[in-house]
mmCIF file with all atom_site columns, all heavy atoms in Angstrom:
data_model
loop_
_atom_site.group_PDB
_atom_site.id
_atom_site.type_symbol
_atom_site.label_atom_id
_atom_site.label_alt_id
_atom_site.label_comp_id
_atom_site.label_asym_id
_atom_site.label_entity_id
_atom_site.label_seq_id
_atom_site.pdbx_PDB_ins_code
_atom_site.Cartn_x
_atom_site.Cartn_y
_atom_site.Cartn_z
_atom_site.occupancy
_atom_site.B_iso_or_equiv
_atom_site.pdbx_formal_charge
_atom_site.auth_seq_id
_atom_site.auth_comp_id
_atom_site.auth_asym_id
_atom_site.auth_atom_id
_atom_site.pdbx_PDB_model_num
ATOM 1   N N   . VAL A 1 124 ? 21.142 -33.177 -14.613 1.00 0.00 ? 124 VAL A N   1
ATOM 2   C CA  . VAL A 1 124 ? 21.686 -32.015 -13.967 1.00 0.00 ? 124 VAL A CA  1
ATOM 3   C C   . VAL A 1 124 ? 23.137 -32.278 -13.644 1.00 0.00 ? 124 VAL A C   1
ATOM 4   O O   . VAL A 1 124 ? 23.515 -33.262 -12.992 1.00 0.00 ? 124 VAL A O   1
ATOM 5   C CB  . VAL A 1 124 ? 20.882 -31.746 -12.615 1.00 0.00 ? 124 VAL A CB  1
ATOM 6   C CG1 . VAL A 1 124 ? 21.514 -30.643 -11.793 1.00 0.00 ? 124 VAL A CG1 1
ATOM 7   C CG2 . VAL A 1 124 ? 19.422 -31.290 -13.041 1.00 0.00 ? 124 VAL A CG2 1
ATOM 8   N N   . PRO A 1 125 ? 24.061 -31.285 -13.984 1.00 0.00 ? 125 PRO A N   1
ATOM 9   C CA  . PRO A 1 125 ? 25.472 -31.498 -13.692 1.00 0.00 ? 125 PRO A CA  1
ATOM 10  C C   . PRO A 1 125 ? 25.707 -31.541 -12.175 1.00 0.00 ? 125 PRO A C   1
ATOM 11  O O   . PRO A 1 125 ? 24.951 -30.874 -11.370 1.00 0.00 ? 125 PRO A O   1
ATOM 12  C CB  . PRO A 1 125 ? 26.131 -30.247 -14.269 1.00 0.00 ? 125 PRO A CB  1
ATOM 13  C CG  . PRO A 1 125 ? 25.218 -29.745 -15.342 1.00 0.00 ? 125 PRO A CG  1
ATOM 14  C CD  . PRO A 1 125 ? 23.776 -30.126 -14.817 1.00 0.00 ? 125 PRO A CD  1
ATOM 15  N N   . LYS A 1 126 ? 26.694 -32.336 -11.744 1.00 0.00 ? 126 LYS A N   1
ATOM 16  C CA  . LYS A 1 126 ? 27.009 -32.413 -10.281 1.00 0.00 ? 126 LYS A CA  1
ATOM 17  C C   . LYS A 1 126 ? 27.330 -31.149 -9.619  1.00 0.00 ? 126 LYS A C   1
ATOM 18  O O   . LYS A 1 126 ? 27.082 -30.936 -8.460  1.00 0.00 ? 126 LYS A O   1
ATOM 19  C CB  . LYS A 1 126 ? 28.044 -33.424 -10.028 1.00 0.00 ? 126 LYS A CB  1
ATOM 20  C CG  . LYS A 1 126 ? 27.805 -34.856 -10.415 1.00 0.00 ? 126 LYS A CG  1
ATOM 21  C CD  . LYS A 1 126 ? 28.894 -35.770 -10.107 1.00 0.00 ? 126 LYS A CD  1
ATOM 22  C CE  . LYS A 1 126 ? 28.788 -37.212 -10.612 1.00 0.00 ? 126 LYS A CE  1
ATOM 23  N NZ  . LYS A 1 126 ? 27.535 -37.856 -10.586 1.00 0.00 ? 126 LYS A NZ  1
ATOM 24  N N   . VAL A 1 127 ? 27.696 -30.146 -10.356 1.00 0.00 ? 127 VAL A N   1
ATOM 25  C CA  . VAL A 1 127 ? 28.130 -28.885 -9.840  1.00 0.00 ? 127 VAL A CA  1
ATOM 26  C C   . VAL A 1 127 ? 26.871 -27.935 -9.591  1.00 0.00 ? 127 VAL A C   1
ATOM 27  O O   . VAL A 1 127 ? 27.048 -26.852 -9.060  1.00 0.00 ? 127 VAL A O   1
ATOM 28  C CB  . VAL A 1 127 ? 29.219 -28.105 -10.658 1.00 0.00 ? 127 VAL A CB  1
ATOM 29  C CG1 . VAL A 1 127 ? 30.453 -28.933 -10.703 1.00 0.00 ? 127 VAL A CG1 1
ATOM 30  C CG2 . VAL A 1 127 ? 28.717 -27.825 -12.026 1.00 0.00 ? 127 VAL A CG2 1
ATOM 31  N N   . LEU A 1 128 ? 25.697 -28.415 -10.012 1.00 0.00 ? 128 LEU A N   1
ATOM 32  C CA  . LEU A 1 128 ? 24.501 -27.555 -9.908  1.00 0.00 ? 128 LEU A CA  1
ATOM 33  C C   . LEU A 1 128 ? 23.444 -28.252 -9.053  1.00 0.00 ? 128 LEU A C   1
ATOM 34  O O   . LEU A 1 128 ? 23.412 -29.430 -9.124  1.00 0.00 ? 128 LEU A O   1
ATOM 35  C CB  . LEU A 1 128 ? 23.899 -27.159 -11.286 1.00 0.00 ? 128 LEU A CB  1
ATOM 36  C CG  . LEU A 1 128 ? 24.647 -26.368 -12.288 1.00 0.00 ? 128 LEU A CG  1
ATOM 37  C CD1 . LEU A 1 128 ? 23.985 -26.237 -13.647 1.00 0.00 ? 128 LEU A CD1 1
ATOM 38  C CD2 . LEU A 1 128 ? 24.895 -24.932 -11.632 1.00 0.00 ? 128 LEU A CD2 1
ATOM 39  N N   . ASP A 1 129 ? 22.642 -27.489 -8.406  1.00 0.00 ? 129 ASP A N   1
ATOM 40  C CA  . ASP A 1 129 ? 21.483 -28.024 -7.736  1.00 0.00 ? 129 ASP A CA  1
ATOM 41  C C   . ASP A 1 129 ? 20.331 -27.725 -8.699  1.00 0.00 ? 129 ASP A C   1
ATOM 42  O O   . ASP A 1 129 ? 20.398 -27.083 -9.680  1.00 0.00 ? 129 ASP A O   1
ATOM 43  C CB  . ASP A 1 129 ? 21.243 -27.409 -6.433  1.00 0.00 ? 129 ASP A CB  1
ATOM 44  C CG  . ASP A 1 129 ? 21.118 -25.871 -6.318  1.00 0.00 ? 129 ASP A CG  1
ATOM 45  O OD1 . ASP A 1 129 ? 20.818 -25.285 -7.363  1.00 0.00 ? 129 ASP A OD1 1
ATOM 46  O OD2 . ASP A 1 129 ? 21.303 -25.288 -5.334  1.00 0.00 ? 129 ASP A OD2 1
ATOM 47  N N   . LEU A 1 130 ? 19.107 -28.314 -8.396  1.00 0.00 ? 130 LEU A N   1
ATOM 48  C CA  . LEU A 1 130 ? 17.981 -28.149 -9.204  1.00 0.00 ? 130 LEU A CA  1
ATOM 49  C C   . LEU A 1 130 ? 17.608 -26.648 -9.482  1.00 0.00 ? 130 LEU A C   1
ATOM 50  O O   . LEU A 1 130 ? 17.130 -26.289 -10.563 1.00 0.00 ? 130 LEU A O   1
ATOM 51  C CB  . LEU A 1 130 ? 16.796 -28.947 -8.714  1.00 0.00 ? 130 LEU A CB  1
ATOM 52  C CG  . LEU A 1 130 ? 16.766 -30.432 -8.907  1.00 0.00 ? 130 LEU A CG  1
ATOM 53  C CD1 . LEU A 1 130 ? 15.697 -31.149 -8.066  1.00 0.00 ? 130 LEU A CD1 1
ATOM 54  C CD2 . LEU A 1 130 ? 16.649 -30.723 -10.397 1.00 0.00 ? 130 LEU A CD2 1
ATOM 55  N N   . GLU A 1 131 ? 17.707 -25.851 -8.410  1.00 0.00 ? 131 GLU A N   1
ATOM 56  C CA  . GLU A 1 131 ? 17.340 -24.511 -8.471  1.00 0.00 ? 131 GLU A CA  1
ATOM 57  C C   . GLU A 1 131 ? 18.125 -23.815 -9.645  1.00 0.00 ? 131 GLU A C   1
ATOM 58  O O   . GLU A 1 131 ? 17.682 -23.022 -10.490 1.00 0.00 ? 131 GLU A O   1
ATOM 59  C CB  . GLU A 1 131 ? 17.524 -23.796 -7.160  1.00 0.00 ? 131 GLU A CB  1
ATOM 60  C CG  . GLU A 1 131 ? 17.046 -22.334 -7.212  1.00 0.00 ? 131 GLU A CG  1
ATOM 61  C CD  . GLU A 1 131 ? 17.100 -21.676 -5.864  1.00 0.00 ? 131 GLU A CD  1
ATOM 62  O OE1 . GLU A 1 131 ? 17.426 -22.303 -4.816  1.00 0.00 ? 131 GLU A OE1 1
ATOM 63  O OE2 . GLU A 1 131 ? 16.893 -20.460 -5.774  1.00 0.00 ? 131 GLU A OE2 1
ATOM 64  N N   . HIS A 1 132 ? 19.513 -23.868 -9.466  1.00 0.00 ? 132 HIS A N   1
ATOM 65  C CA  . HIS A 1 132 ? 20.302 -23.263 -10.530 1.00 0.00 ? 132 HIS A CA  1
ATOM 66  C C   . HIS A 1 132 ? 20.273 -23.921 -11.873 1.00 0.00 ? 132 HIS A C   1
ATOM 67  O O   . HIS A 1 132 ? 20.352 -23.259 -12.932 1.00 0.00 ? 132 HIS A O   1
ATOM 68  C CB  . HIS A 1 132 ? 21.808 -23.240 -9.912  1.00 0.00 ? 132 HIS A CB  1
ATOM 69  C CG  . HIS A 1 132 ? 21.946 -22.331 -8.777  1.00 0.00 ? 132 HIS A CG  1
ATOM 70  N ND1 . HIS A 1 132 ? 21.863 -22.771 -7.502  1.00 0.00 ? 132 HIS A ND1 1
ATOM 71  C CD2 . HIS A 1 132 ? 22.164 -21.024 -8.709  1.00 0.00 ? 132 HIS A CD2 1
ATOM 72  C CE1 . HIS A 1 132 ? 21.940 -21.782 -6.689  1.00 0.00 ? 132 HIS A CE1 1
ATOM 73  N NE2 . HIS A 1 132 ? 22.139 -20.626 -7.397  1.00 0.00 ? 132 HIS A NE2 1
ATOM 74  N N   . ALA A 1 133 ? 20.098 -25.190 -11.961 1.00 0.00 ? 133 ALA A N   1
ATOM 75  C CA  . ALA A 1 133 ? 19.975 -25.855 -13.189 1.00 0.00 ? 133 ALA A CA  1
ATOM 76  C C   . ALA A 1 133 ? 18.859 -25.456 -13.981 1.00 0.00 ? 133 ALA A C   1
ATOM 77  O O   . ALA A 1 133 ? 18.796 -25.379 -15.263 1.00 0.00 ? 133 ALA A O   1
ATOM 78  C CB  . ALA A 1 133 ? 19.905 -27.454 -12.981 1.00 0.00 ? 133 ALA A CB  1
ATOM 79  N N   . GLY A 1 134 ? 17.617 -25.063 -13.273 1.00 0.00 ? 134 GLY A N   1
ATOM 80  C CA  . GLY A 1 134 ? 16.448 -24.593 -14.004 1.00 0.00 ? 134 GLY A CA  1
ATOM 81  C C   . GLY A 1 134 ? 16.594 -23.315 -14.750 1.00 0.00 ? 134 GLY A C   1
ATOM 82  O O   . GLY A 1 134 ? 15.938 -22.964 -15.676 1.00 0.00 ? 134 GLY A O   1
ATOM 83  N N   . ALA A 1 135 ? 17.678 -22.491 -14.332 1.00 0.00 ? 135 ALA A N   1
ATOM 84  C CA  . ALA A 1 135 ? 17.967 -21.278 -15.105 1.00 0.00 ? 135 ALA A CA  1
ATOM 85  C C   . ALA A 1 135 ? 18.919 -21.394 -16.272 1.00 0.00 ? 135 ALA A C   1
ATOM 86  O O   . ALA A 1 135 ? 19.070 -20.500 -16.992 1.00 0.00 ? 135 ALA A O   1
ATOM 87  C CB  . ALA A 1 135 ? 18.465 -20.184 -14.110 1.00 0.00 ? 135 ALA A CB  1
ATOM 88  N N   . VAL A 1 136 ? 19.494 -22.587 -16.530 1.00 0.00 ? 136 VAL A N   1
ATOM 89  C CA  . VAL A 1 136 ? 20.546 -22.719 -17.421 1.00 0.00 ? 136 VAL A CA  1
ATOM 90  C C   . VAL A 1 136 ? 20.129 -23.089 -18.855 1.00 0.00 ? 136 VAL A C   1
ATOM 91  O O   . VAL A 1 136 ? 20.678 -22.547 -19.785 1.00 0.00 ? 136 VAL A O   1
ATOM 92  C CB  . VAL A 1 136 ? 21.528 -23.893 -16.999 1.00 0.00 ? 136 VAL A CB  1
ATOM 93  C CG1 . VAL A 1 136 ? 22.483 -24.246 -18.037 1.00 0.00 ? 136 VAL A CG1 1
ATOM 94  C CG2 . VAL A 1 136 ? 22.233 -23.339 -15.732 1.00 0.00 ? 136 VAL A CG2 1
ATOM 95  N N   . PRO A 1 137 ? 19.094 -23.906 -19.136 1.00 0.00 ? 137 PRO A N   1
ATOM 96  C CA  . PRO A 1 137 ? 18.999 -24.482 -20.434 1.00 0.00 ? 137 PRO A CA  1
ATOM 97  C C   . PRO A 1 137 ? 18.923 -23.470 -21.616 1.00 0.00 ? 137 PRO A C   1
ATOM 98  O O   . PRO A 1 137 ? 19.820 -23.542 -22.595 1.00 0.00 ? 137 PRO A O   1
ATOM 99  C CB  . PRO A 1 137 ? 17.667 -25.255 -20.368 1.00 0.00 ? 137 PRO A CB  1
ATOM 100 C CG  . PRO A 1 137 ? 17.607 -25.734 -18.957 1.00 0.00 ? 137 PRO A CG  1
ATOM 101 C CD  . PRO A 1 137 ? 18.198 -24.518 -18.138 1.00 0.00 ? 137 PRO A CD  1
ATOM 102 N N   . THR A 1 138 ? 17.931 -22.578 -21.616 1.00 0.00 ? 138 THR A N   1
ATOM 103 C CA  . THR A 1 138 ? 17.951 -21.706 -22.919 1.00 0.00 ? 138 THR A CA  1
ATOM 104 C C   . THR A 1 138 ? 19.021 -20.622 -22.879 1.00 0.00 ? 138 THR A C   1
ATOM 105 O O   . THR A 1 138 ? 19.632 -20.470 -23.955 1.00 0.00 ? 138 THR A O   1
ATOM 106 C CB  . THR A 1 138 ? 16.550 -20.925 -22.803 1.00 0.00 ? 138 THR A CB  1
ATOM 107 O OG1 . THR A 1 138 ? 15.469 -21.971 -22.799 1.00 0.00 ? 138 THR A OG1 1
ATOM 108 C CG2 . THR A 1 138 ? 16.336 -20.093 -24.069 1.00 0.00 ? 138 THR A CG2 1
ATOM 109 N N   . THR A 1 139 ? 19.394 -20.055 -21.734 1.00 0.00 ? 139 THR A N   1
ATOM 110 C CA  . THR A 1 139 ? 20.442 -19.087 -21.737 1.00 0.00 ? 139 THR A CA  1
ATOM 111 C C   . THR A 1 139 ? 21.845 -19.780 -22.030 1.00 0.00 ? 139 THR A C   1
ATOM 112 O O   . THR A 1 139 ? 22.617 -19.375 -22.772 1.00 0.00 ? 139 THR A O   1
ATOM 113 C CB  . THR A 1 139 ? 20.514 -18.515 -20.332 1.00 0.00 ? 139 THR A CB  1
ATOM 114 O OG1 . THR A 1 139 ? 19.250 -17.853 -20.040 1.00 0.00 ? 139 THR A OG1 1
ATOM 115 C CG2 . THR A 1 139 ? 21.628 -17.426 -20.310 1.00 0.00 ? 139 THR A CG2 1
ATOM 116 N N   . GLY A 1 140 ? 22.008 -21.015 -21.487 1.00 0.00 ? 140 GLY A N   1
ATOM 117 C CA  . GLY A 1 140 ? 23.224 -21.735 -21.802 1.00 0.00 ? 140 GLY A CA  1
ATOM 118 C C   . GLY A 1 140 ? 23.313 -22.249 -23.085 1.00 0.00 ? 140 GLY A C   1
ATOM 119 O O   . GLY A 1 140 ? 24.301 -22.152 -23.792 1.00 0.00 ? 140 GLY A O   1
ATOM 120 N N   . LEU A 1 141 ? 22.209 -22.613 -23.804 1.00 0.00 ? 141 LEU A N   1
ATOM 121 C CA  . LEU A 1 141 ? 22.223 -23.041 -25.158 1.00 0.00 ? 141 LEU A CA  1
ATOM 122 C C   . LEU A 1 141 ? 22.482 -21.864 -26.144 1.00 0.00 ? 141 LEU A C   1
ATOM 123 O O   . LEU A 1 141 ? 23.254 -22.019 -26.978 1.00 0.00 ? 141 LEU A O   1
ATOM 124 C CB  . LEU A 1 141 ? 20.835 -23.662 -25.538 1.00 0.00 ? 141 LEU A CB  1
ATOM 125 C CG  . LEU A 1 141 ? 20.645 -24.157 -26.950 1.00 0.00 ? 141 LEU A CG  1
ATOM 126 C CD1 . LEU A 1 141 ? 21.675 -25.198 -27.239 1.00 0.00 ? 141 LEU A CD1 1
ATOM 127 C CD2 . LEU A 1 141 ? 19.257 -24.658 -27.235 1.00 0.00 ? 141 LEU A CD2 1
ATOM 128 N N   . THR A 1 142 ? 21.952 -20.768 -25.780 1.00 0.00 ? 142 THR A N   1
ATOM 129 C CA  . THR A 1 142 ? 22.180 -19.422 -26.530 1.00 0.00 ? 142 THR A CA  1
ATOM 130 C C   . THR A 1 142 ? 23.707 -19.188 -26.480 1.00 0.00 ? 142 THR A C   1
ATOM 131 O O   . THR A 1 142 ? 24.355 -18.857 -27.498 1.00 0.00 ? 142 THR A O   1
ATOM 132 C CB  . THR A 1 142 ? 21.399 -18.378 -26.066 1.00 0.00 ? 142 THR A CB  1
ATOM 133 O OG1 . THR A 1 142 ? 20.018 -18.692 -26.085 1.00 0.00 ? 142 THR A OG1 1
ATOM 134 C CG2 . THR A 1 142 ? 21.613 -17.080 -26.790 1.00 0.00 ? 142 THR A CG2 1
ATOM 135 N N   . ALA A 1 143 ? 24.211 -19.215 -25.263 1.00 0.00 ? 143 ALA A N   1
ATOM 136 C CA  . ALA A 1 143 ? 25.689 -18.879 -25.117 1.00 0.00 ? 143 ALA A CA  1
ATOM 137 C C   . ALA A 1 143 ? 26.571 -19.903 -25.875 1.00 0.00 ? 143 ALA A C   1
ATOM 138 O O   . ALA A 1 143 ? 27.512 -19.522 -26.565 1.00 0.00 ? 143 ALA A O   1
ATOM 139 C CB  . ALA A 1 143 ? 26.081 -18.909 -23.666 1.00 0.00 ? 143 ALA A CB  1
ATOM 140 N N   . LEU A 1 144 ? 26.211 -21.251 -25.877 1.00 0.00 ? 144 LEU A N   1
ATOM 141 C CA  . LEU A 1 144 ? 26.963 -22.224 -26.572 1.00 0.00 ? 144 LEU A CA  1
ATOM 142 C C   . LEU A 1 144 ? 26.868 -22.024 -28.023 1.00 0.00 ? 144 LEU A C   1
ATOM 143 O O   . LEU A 1 144 ? 27.863 -22.136 -28.753 1.00 0.00 ? 144 LEU A O   1
ATOM 144 C CB  . LEU A 1 144 ? 26.427 -23.558 -26.161 1.00 0.00 ? 144 LEU A CB  1
ATOM 145 C CG  . LEU A 1 144 ? 27.108 -24.840 -26.775 1.00 0.00 ? 144 LEU A CG  1
ATOM 146 C CD1 . LEU A 1 144 ? 28.580 -24.881 -26.425 1.00 0.00 ? 144 LEU A CD1 1
ATOM 147 C CD2 . LEU A 1 144 ? 26.483 -26.136 -26.326 1.00 0.00 ? 144 LEU A CD2 1
ATOM 148 N N   . GLN A 1 145 ? 25.707 -21.697 -28.515 1.00 0.00 ? 145 GLN A N   1
ATOM 149 C CA  . GLN A 1 145 ? 25.549 -21.492 -29.911 1.00 0.00 ? 145 GLN A CA  1
ATOM 150 C C   . GLN A 1 145 ? 26.418 -20.291 -30.394 1.00 0.00 ? 145 GLN A C   1
ATOM 151 O O   . GLN A 1 145 ? 27.012 -20.304 -31.469 1.00 0.00 ? 145 GLN A O   1
ATOM 152 C CB  . GLN A 1 145 ? 24.000 -21.246 -30.329 1.00 0.00 ? 145 GLN A CB  1
ATOM 153 C CG  . GLN A 1 145 ? 23.207 -22.525 -30.174 1.00 0.00 ? 145 GLN A CG  1
ATOM 154 C CD  . GLN A 1 145 ? 21.755 -22.191 -30.340 1.00 0.00 ? 145 GLN A CD  1
ATOM 155 O OE1 . GLN A 1 145 ? 21.233 -21.160 -30.115 1.00 0.00 ? 145 GLN A OE1 1
ATOM 156 N NE2 . GLN A 1 145 ? 20.996 -23.296 -30.779 1.00 0.00 ? 145 GLN A NE2 1
#
Side-chain angles (χ1 to χ4, degrees):
V124 171
K126 292 184 188 323
V127 297
L128 294 177
D129 58 20
L130 282 170
E131 182 177 356
H132 291 92
V136 169
T138 304
T139 304
L141 181 60
T142 301
L144 181 60
Q145 288 170 335

